[in-house]
Amino acid sequence: MTNFIFFGDMLVMAFMAVLAVWILSRGKSKTLDEIARIPLEDEEHDG
Amino acid sequence: MEAVSNKVYHDTVVIRLIQFSVIWALLAMLGGVWLAAELIWPGLDFGQYWLSFGRLRPLHTNGVIFGFGVSALMATAFYSVQRTSHVPLFLPRLAWFCCYAWQLVVLLGGLSLLAGYNTSKEYAELEWPFDIAIAIVWVCFGVVFFGTIAMRRIRPIYISNWFYGALIIVIAMLHIVNSLALPVSPTQSYSLFAGAQDAIVQWWYGHNAVGFLLTGGFLGMLYYFLPKHAGRPIWSYRLSVLAFWAFVYSYIWAGPHHLHYNSVPEWVQSLGMVMSVVLLAPSWATMVNGIMTVSTAWEKLRTDPALKFIVLSLAFYGLATFEGPMMSIRSVNVVSHFTDWTIGHVHSGALGWNAMITYGTFYFMAPRLVGGELYSSRLANLHFWLALAGTMLYIVAMWAAGVSQGLLWLSVDDIGELSFDFKDIMASMVPYYLLRLVAGLIFLAGTFLMAYNLYMTVRGRPARRAVPPAVAPAFGVSR
């Protein structure tokens, strides 16, 4: 059972490592910066 | 119902949900104060079953989580999903149905708890007719939310919507699976799971209700309203996406830490412990992201009571998400489990994180929703200090009580017998419980101030007509 838990934990670590690399490599900083600004420019007032 | 054009955001339903949320906060916290008093003076139940601790306690937790918390989450989700999608709500009449049906379910469910109908599953106490009603309203909430996302006029789905989406999907899954039961009468049912399996499923539900509702949902609130308050974008959008995936992937495994030294397999307990410690990473990534976002706007803290609440909630979020993983370690849990330390931990999250961020968000939204000013910034500032004092006093009293209980219960004499009688230990807790009662009264007084302040802010004013802005070409979706 110890081995099972160890391999499970390693799978979680591997998933997160792959995910981190994927997120860091995907998307230009400029685009992400623009997405981050969405809440700042999301309404105008009609009267 | 509001008669508006297709392009105007539907905000009247948001105002109504905020009103319900505040009413539930007052009622449920009043119940909590009464329970705190009952633990000092048990005669306060006046011999009435419906006033007994066993019936009032689930009413308090259900009122806070499902009345106050979910109404606030619906309000903020409806408010932010329209704005971050640049479209009004999808099926606004269904949003109104969610608003009123949810209040009816919480009200009738609460009355059923007072009447003694209880499944005995923590945070899932309501009997099967209410479980079905909750599932129906929740699915309708999901239809409105995801329908709005599907109709959006800008391509990216902002990070707050990912958290709200996770809240809706995961809570539906948890609620439906944990509520699977065989009804034997309109007021009684038996769980489909038995023994240790029932315990594992229950705490898979229970812990993730905390995780995806009280943490994930409120993180959605944070990622939208913190940049709005601070007037600048989130410090690292990349980190927020990473934290989201780490959060959803780690949290779902952590439930068995509620079952340490129990009859579930030891490897299940160990897995729950390890994944709980892993959770520290995404939790603190979010906290750091939030603190860095306001790091260039500290001057606003002097004048903006709403931002004070949000920043303080971040501090308590960091505290609670450090304490939780530490308490999940089995050698720590042997002291903390079944003691008031757990109550202190829960309230550092519930009062310090959930209530504070909600209060800050309500102070931000209310004047903007009606196009006016907050009735009194001085009252809001006073509320801030009352909330901080109440929360600190509460958790310090419960830490002291809990650590004392844990160590005294574990004390044995030379021949291995318990050194202290359980009854005597509980009697020695009265000073801590008095402090907790005072803390609860202080926090409740602050909440009453907020209710008055918000009432005076929105009184007699209709929702302001807010419309989507022109879409940036890079993000535009043609329809």
Side-chain angles (χ1 to χ4, degrees):
Chain A
M1 195 51 69
T2 307
N3 287 337
F4 178 81
I5 295 173
F6 176 77
F7 282 117
D9 283 349
M10 290 303 103
L11 276 177
V12 172
M13 295 290 286
F15 174 83
M16 288 310 303
V18 169
L19 188 70
V21 170
W22 183 72
I23 289 172
L24 291 173
S25 63
R26 190 179 154 85
K28 296 173 186 169
S29 292
K30 186 170 174 289
T31 309
L32 291 177
D33 289 345
E34 285 174 354
I35 295 172
R37 295 193 65 81
I38 287 175
L40 305 181
E41 297 147 5
D42 62 7
E43 68 178 353
E44 290 168 4
H45 295 110
D46 178 19
Chain B
M1 309 280 171
E2 57 202 315
V4 293
S5 76
N6 284 336
K7 287 185 180 174
V8 178
Y9 293 142
H10 296 284
D11 284 340
T12 310
V13 67
V14 175
I15 295 174
R16 191 60 42 82
L17 280 161
I18 291 174
Q19 290 167 334
F20 280 127
S21 178
V22 173
I23 290 169
W24 283 119
L26 293 172
L27 292 175
M29 289 179 194
L30 187 64
V33 168
W34 192 270
L35 287 165
E38 275 193 0
L39 285 173
I40 306 166
W41 304 290
L44 278 176
D45 66 4
F46 301 109
Q48 303 294 318
Y49 289 124
W50 65 274
L51 271 180
S52 64
F53 188 91
R55 293 196 185 179
L56 274 185
R57 196 267 180 178
L59 187 71
H60 165 62
T61 52
N62 278 264
V64 168
I65 297 171
F66 300 115
F68 168 52
V70 170
S71 298
L73 288 171
M74 279 187 184
T76 54
F78 288 160
Y79 182 90
S80 60
V81 74
Q82 301 181 80
R83 285 160 171 79
T84 51
S85 301
H86 289 198
V87 287
L89 282 180
F90 177 66
L91 295 180
R93 286 178 190 275
L94 197 59
W96 277 104
F97 168 77
C98 292
C99 170
Y100 285 114
W102 187 258
Q103 313 312 320
L104 193 64
V105 170
V106 178
L107 177 66
L108 296 180
L111 292 175
S112 77
L113 292 172
L114 282 185
Y117 299 110
N118 190 320
T119 63
S120 79
K121 289 185 166 195
E122 196 169 11
Y123 311 131
E125 290 92 347
L126 298 178
E127 270 294 353
W128 67 272
F130 294 108
D131 288 339
I132 294 172
I134 287 170
I136 291 170
V137 180
W138 202 258
V139 168
C140 293
F141 178 28
V143 168
V144 175
F145 182 83
F146 290 113
T148 307
I149 297 256
M151 300 297 290
R152 71 189 187 281
R153 288 177 56 232
I154 54 176
R155 194 167 288 110
I157 301 174
Y158 184 68
I159 188 68
S160 63
N161 293 327
W162 295 37
F163 279 99
Y164 282 122
L167 156 80
I168 292 168
I169 292 170
V170 178
I171 292 296
M173 174 181 75
L174 298 168
H175 171 73
I176 290 169
V177 174
N178 190 48
S179 301
L180 291 173
L182 187 66
V184 292
S185 79
T187 55
Q188 192 179 7
S189 61
Y190 293 102
S191 172
L192 281 194
F193 309 103
Q197 288 175 343
D198 192 36
I200 291 171
V201 172
Q202 158 60 21
W203 283 109
W204 171 73
Y205 162 85
H207 186 75
N208 288 298
V210 173
F212 284 84
L213 201 155
L214 296 177
T215 307
F218 285 83
L219 286 177
M221 207 186 274
L222 177 83
Y223 275 115
Y224 179 78
F225 288 97
L226 180 64
K228 293 289 277 190
H229 276 70
R232 57 209 66 198
I234 198 77
W235 178 63
S236 170
Y237 194 80
R238 225 183 270 271
L239 184 60
S240 69
V241 175
L242 191 60
F244 170 81
W245 286 108
F247 167 83
V248 296
Y249 198 75
S250 310
Y251 228 116
I252 206 84
W253 302 76
H257 71 220
H258 288 261
L259 299 166
H260 282 339
Y261 303 104
N262 221 310
S263 55
V264 302
E266 196 170 328
W267 72 267
V268 175
Q269 300 175 33
S270 299
L271 184 64
M273 178 180 78
V274 170
M275 296 312 292
S276 302
V277 174
V278 169
L279 258 179
L280 193 55
S283 302
W284 276 40
T286 295
M287 184 190 66
V288 168
N289 213 351
I291 295 290
M292 293 305 288
T293 302
V294 288
S295 65
T296 52
W298 291 121
E299 74 283 353
K300 284 197 169 190
L301 285 175
R302 291 186 191 162
T303 54
D304 186 348
L307 190 59
K308 282 184 193 173
F309 273 104
I310 298 246
V311 171
L312 187 66
S313 76
L314 264 174
F316 276 106
Y317 176 70
L319 172 73
T321 54
F322 174 77
E323 189 184 24
M326 295 306 109
M327 291 172 76
S328 76
I329 297 171
R330 275 153 52 96
S331 52
V332 178
N333 198 266
V334 74
V335 177
S336 71
H337 205 174
F338 301 123
T339 73
D340 284 315
W341 186 353
T342 305
I343 315 302
H345 168 63
V346 168
H347 283 81
S348 73
L351 301 179
W353 159 238
N354 298 122
M356 297 262 196
I357 192 170
T358 305
Y359 293 167
T361 301
F362 285 177
Y363 280 128
F364 177 84
M365 290 165 76
R368 284 163 180 79
L369 281 166
V370 295
E373 295 287 323
L374 185 65
Y375 172 68
S376 170
S377 287
R378 288 184 67 182
L379 277 183
N381 273 316
L382 178 60
H383 177 201
F384 172 80
W385 290 110
L386 287 174
L388 175 58
T391 306
M392 286 306 299
L393 190 60
Y394 192 113
I395 60 179
V396 169
M398 289 299 96
W399 280 337
V403 173
S404 302
Q405 286 168 340
L407 294 178
L408 291 171
W409 288 342
L410 291 171
S411 297
V412 290
D413 59 20
D414 293 339
I415 57 171
E417 293 196 340
L418 293 174
S419 301
F420 302 98
D421 186 69
F422 179 81
K423 186 165 62 66
D424 293 339
I425 296 171
M426 293 314 292
S428 70
M429 292 296 119
V430 169
Y432 301 120
Y433 289 178
L434 273 170
L435 281 179
R436 189 240 306 263
L437 175 60
V438 172
L441 282 168
I442 292 172
F443 197 91
L444 180 62
T447 307
F448 268 105
L449 284 185
M450 180 190 71
Y452 174 72
N453 207 350
L454 294 183
Y455 170 74
M456 295 302 288
T457 301
V458 302
R459 187 179 64 160
R461 291 177 167 155
R464 183 167 59 165
R465 290 166 59 87
V467 297
V471 179
F475 290 155
V477 174
S478 58
R479 293 199 184 282

